[in-house]
Amino acid sequence: MIALLARGQKLASLGARALHAGVQRDPAFSQLSDKDLAFFEQLLGGTSGVVTDSDALEPYNRDWQKKYEGHSRVALRPRTTEQVAEVLRYCSSRRLAVVPQGGNTGLVGGSVPVFDEVVLSTGAMNKILHLDEVSGTLVAQAGCILQALDEAAAARGFMMPLDLGAKGSCQVGGNVSTNAGGLRLVRYGSLHGSVLGLEVALPEPMLPSGPAPTPASAPGGGRVLDLLRTLRKDNTGYDLKQLFIGAEGTLGIVTAVAVQLAPRPASVQLALLACPSFEAVTATLRSARRRLAEVLSAVEFLDADCSALATTHLEGVGNPLSGEGGGEGGAGRGQGDAGAGASGRGSPFYMLVETHGSNAQHDQEKMEAFLEAAMAEGCVADGTLASSEAQARAIWRLREGISEALVRRGAVYKYDVSLPTAVMYDLVTALRQRLEGAGYGAAAGVRVVGYGHIGDGNLHLNVSAPRYDDDLLGLIEPYVYEYVARHNGSISAEHGIGLMKANCLSYSKGPVAIELMRRIKGLVDPHGILNPYKVLPKP
Ligand code: FAD
Ligand code: MLT
Ligand code: ZN
């Protein structure tokens, strides 16, 4: 999918320190032995399912940002649910810690080992099991790539209810395990609504031993929780699948997913807008909700620095409104990533407003009426409507490419917060001023940028710097988390907690909630082998 640091560029070249400093390897976990490897090879049919070569292991040990790095000696690639359950049975009995891994595009250090945990990759579990055209439901193994599922759905007139920049690499099991939000949550809702069923392999058997049914006779030795229904309505006791949506691999390994698809829209309209202020952005959001109502499918925003970053660091990406970059409608490359005004035509903020509908004429009329009103009200200074799929893709690339551009620029401190929409950007401004005041301004190569899913109240606040720097980090944290807590926000809107924020959970969850989470974890995974050091704070 996405090329990142130049080949061979090492994490250390950005000055990364051990990001798990302070976390000690739990001595209760065993070290991997040759006997363990022999068992895995026998179970998974030889070496193709068992990766031990150090070069081949590198992508399993390093995350997408190349910020978190573990030292696992083995990555397992099972093909079936039964194999996953058997791996968990073995690892539990041997007290081997396990990190579940999908596409490894997670952004909080949750998908890679911290120390030497066994990596269980779902990459080889990539079969579509069923697509029902009447109910619009899809059942797939956890390792199916999101884009592949969307293409399969498209061939039958449907779309996945989830879309995000990592779609070419992330897997549906990883999406569910992070409760990924993405670009169209404003229209299609969260995975807590669109996931209809799950199949999950658990680290411990849930059935008692003894007379039938025994764990041995139950599928996967009693470890497979089969909730793989495609029913729209099912009020039979606790909705257990919800526990695994967003559990980040700490409670079980999702092996298959049933999803409610959405009809693929016959008409898609996309506008890129330039807004003179953040107040104008929020006013445009309100207007889009009111005027586009039932057809509104995405409302995203980015600031001028994000536009400059994407157009400078990504090939062929342009902003037709600012003239930056080499994309369609752009005015040539080489503006630099200095933000608004670099081209002389820049605007402080840009928005993407998209509609999904069934009647192009109707949707176009609505979009044009919305744009006219927004311009008349002074909320939108300039705008362009995509007139082809290629133009729409180019505009989306400007927005979706921001994370990649940031990683290409250097070190990134990444925050993903929910805040009241009206004051959301104040955090970006406040942090920028705080860092400038301490000598971490533009002259030091530091940029504080904001973008995100404004339609969902979700801000992505990123600090881009030439190198990782502990003093800089000390100015950002806990400042950002305290700010979010003061405004009753969330320190993780959609990326999850992972390793990065495990010790910060209390900024968004009270002691009773955290204790209940701990007890649930203890019940399901009493030896704590699944994704240790992640999500829950150190006791
Ligand atoms: P991984 O990164 O492999 O894993 C993520 C977590 O889930 C880890 O804790 C892992 O242990 C666990 N896990 C993975 N698979 C399983 C499984 N089968 N069972 C149990 N646990 C499992 N996120 C958003 O919410 N919205 C966005 O718009 C968005 N855009 C992104 C854009 C880019 C360019 C990138 C790189 C990431 C983006 N992300 C976004 C973050 C990321 O959460 C998603 O890409 C995706 O949901 C992760 O899926 P994955 O298969 O890569 O999971
Ligand atoms: C996005 O919305 O682009 C993603 O969540 C990724 C990111 O913030 O880096
Ligand atoms: Zn996002």
Side-chain angles (χ1 to χ4, degrees), residues 395-475:
I395 291 174
W396 271 118
R397 180 83 180 112
L398 173 70
R399 163 63 186 88
E400 293 181 49
I402 297 167
S403 3
E404 187 184 343
L406 280 159
V407 172
R408 286 190 184 203
R409 186 172 188 270
V412 193
Y413 297 97
K414 198 171 254 307
Y415 301 89
D416 156 47
V417 302
S418 281
L419 277 172
T421 311
V423 297
M424 183 189 272
Y425 200 77
D426 292 351
L427 172 57
V428 182
T429 310
L431 183 65
R432 193 178 284 141
Q433 283 167 359
R434 177 179 167 84
L435 298 189
E436 275 168 4
Y440 287 102
V446 174
R447 302 223 180 287
V448 181
V449 307
Y451 60 99
H453 315 289
I454 188 150
D456 312 320
N458 179 184
L459 168 73
H460 293 314
L461 163 69
N462 284 234
V463 179
S464 164
R467 300 172 58 77
Y468 288 105
D469 171 340
D470 282 351
D471 292 337
L472 175 58
L473 180 60
L475 288 163

